Amino acid sequence: MSTRIKGKRVLLCVGGGIAAYKSAELVRALIAAGAEVQVAMTSAATHFITPLTLQTLSGRQVATSILDAAEEATIGHIAIAQSCDVVLVAPATADLIARMAAGMGDDMVTTALLATTAPVVVAPAMNSVMFAHAAVRANLAVLESRGCKVVQPDHGELACGYEGPGRLPDAPVLLEALENALSSRSFDLDGKTVVVSAGPTREPIDPVRCITNRSSGRMGYAVAAAAARRGARVVLISGPTALDCPEGCRRVDVETAAQMAAEVEKAATAADVVVMVAAVADYTPSTVAGQKIKKKGEKLELTLERTTDVLASLSALPGSRILVGFAAETENLVEHARDKLVRKGLDLIVANDVSAANQGFDVPTNAAVLIDRSGNQEETGLVTKDALAERIVDRVVGLVEAANSGRGRRLQVRK
Ligand code: CTP
């Protein structure tokens, strides 16, 4: 059972859905893990489970109202918000998620959520059609962009008779999410060197023309920023983008696939982790015209040749490092991604369908499937690129921890 939760003060915010009845079990599990639990409930939640039940199990008065003078004097919304180490919103109903996304402060739960600086874990639970609604997805994306961790609901038979995603996950899953939220506050990549490539490459045809692609660099920059926030030394090898270098990263600017290959390989020799997010050109013109090519006939033929596959070449470098790749696909997403994971000798691949709206190139959101060497597959749903970057870095931290404990790829010992 969880060790990071021991001694931590957890603020459990219970929303008004049928899954509220599970909060009794959740409080028991938190107490059993050694946490101190303060429960806050929305008014709707008190119709599904009584405050007395949760007070008895938590050993603390339950916060239900900001307008009750006596209650506010003892367990005020500011006090409970500022005295906790982590917040769990479970079950998070569609209404509660919407009020959080809108920044409302119209009851005990929403005011406490506005007044806290602790990490917030949100566990949505509702009818599967409601969960799939664009409004709910958009509100969850807003919460993620503000740093909330969203725990995906379980798939199964729902209390309303429907079958699908919407069930509140069991207590152990929620406790693990709390642990991760607590640990992500620490510098869990302290002392590690992470190389991230980002953006497009530009392959010159002549002095004024080039072959490039639609990558904005946002995803790679978000990964670099997330790794730097976790304490890593980050080298960001960037193709041409309009973005500012994220805080705490050292940026190396490149233009062509050949330059990208040379710089990544150079930086990778001293790296613990390489995340290749860059959309590297697979082909480059065989010859670059010294002068601007003047138009002549009806057709112009260019001869292209393969560039170095940077990721694939990294496995051949001396030493050992964690390798993460991306797979931008328009069909057979998982199949192609699995093939790349094996072919390029990767530890993790982030696969995204760039043909779908709101994901992939030049938009702030993305949806990905994370696949590791053991075949584990995690679907993120539509999230902001910042939130996806955090998820990727969470997985990188897991891979580094596994390597350090001898369970995964071994890392080199560095001075
Ligand atoms: N990549 C690389 N060097 C290249 C091309 C791609 O390191 N010359 C990396 C990308 O940064 C990404 C991963 O490989 O992490 C997948 O790139 P992608 O172009 O989608 O895959 P390919 O292996 O090139 O396969 P295909 O183009 O056939 O889809």
Side-chain angles (χ1 to χ4, degrees), residues 10-14 23 26-27 30 37-41 88-90:
V10 178
L11 173 59
L12 172 63
C13 296
V14 184
S23 53
L26 189 52
V27 172
L30 285 164
V37 185
Q38 171 66 59
V39 178
M41 302 173 79
L88 173 59
V89 186

Side-chain angles (χ1 to χ4, degrees), residues 197 257 260 275-283 306-314 324-329 336 340 343-344 346 349:
S197 71
M260 175 71 78
V275 188
M276 281 293 297
V277 195
V280 187
D282 288 323
Y283 291 89
R306 284 285 287 269
T307 56
T308 306
D309 188 320
V310 188
L311 254 183
S313 70
L314 293 180
V324 181
F326 269 66
E329 308 291 348
H336 284 317
K340 278 176 199 173
R343 192 159 37 87
K344 302 194 185 199
L346 308 181
I349 193 150

Side-chain angles (χ1 to χ4, degrees), residues 32 65-66 131 135 142 149 194 204 220 245 259 264 268 298 339 345 369-370 394 396:
S65 169
I66 37 169
F131 183 64
V142 167
K149 299 275 176 190
V194 177
C245 181
Q259 289 165 358
V264 170
E298 284 306 304
D339 172 60
V369 186
L370 274 53
D394 282 345
V396 165

Side-chain angles (χ1 to χ4, degrees), residues 207-272:
V208 293
R209 302 181 181 95
C210 64
I211 297 174
T212 187
N213 58 63
R214 291 173 51 204
S215 170
S216 64
R218 277 191 217 167
M219 191 66 242
Y221 276 55
V223 171
R229 279 196 295 274
R230 306 281 187 97
R233 271 187 301 265
V234 179
V235 185
L236 172 60
I237 304 188
S238 176
T241 73
L243 304 172
D244 291 330
C245 181
E247 208 179 315
C249 301
R250 179 168 74 82
R251 187 168 78 184
V252 179
D253 290 319
V254 298
E255 206 155 305
T256 63
Q259 289 165 358
M260 175 71 78
E263 292 298 339
V264 170
E265 279 175 27
K266 195 160 73 181
T269 54
D272 300 285

Side-chain angles (χ1 to χ4, degrees), residues 7-11 27 31 34-41 51-63 75 80 83:
K8 292 288 189 272
R9 294 159 302 178
V10 178
L11 173 59
V27 172
I31 299 279
E36 291 176 23
V37 185
Q38 171 66 59
V39 178
M41 302 173 79
L52 184 59
T53 303
L54 299 181
Q55 175 179 310
T56 310
L57 294 172
S58 67
R60 275 188 176 72
Q61 191 184 346
V62 171
I75 41 171
I80 60 169
S83 61

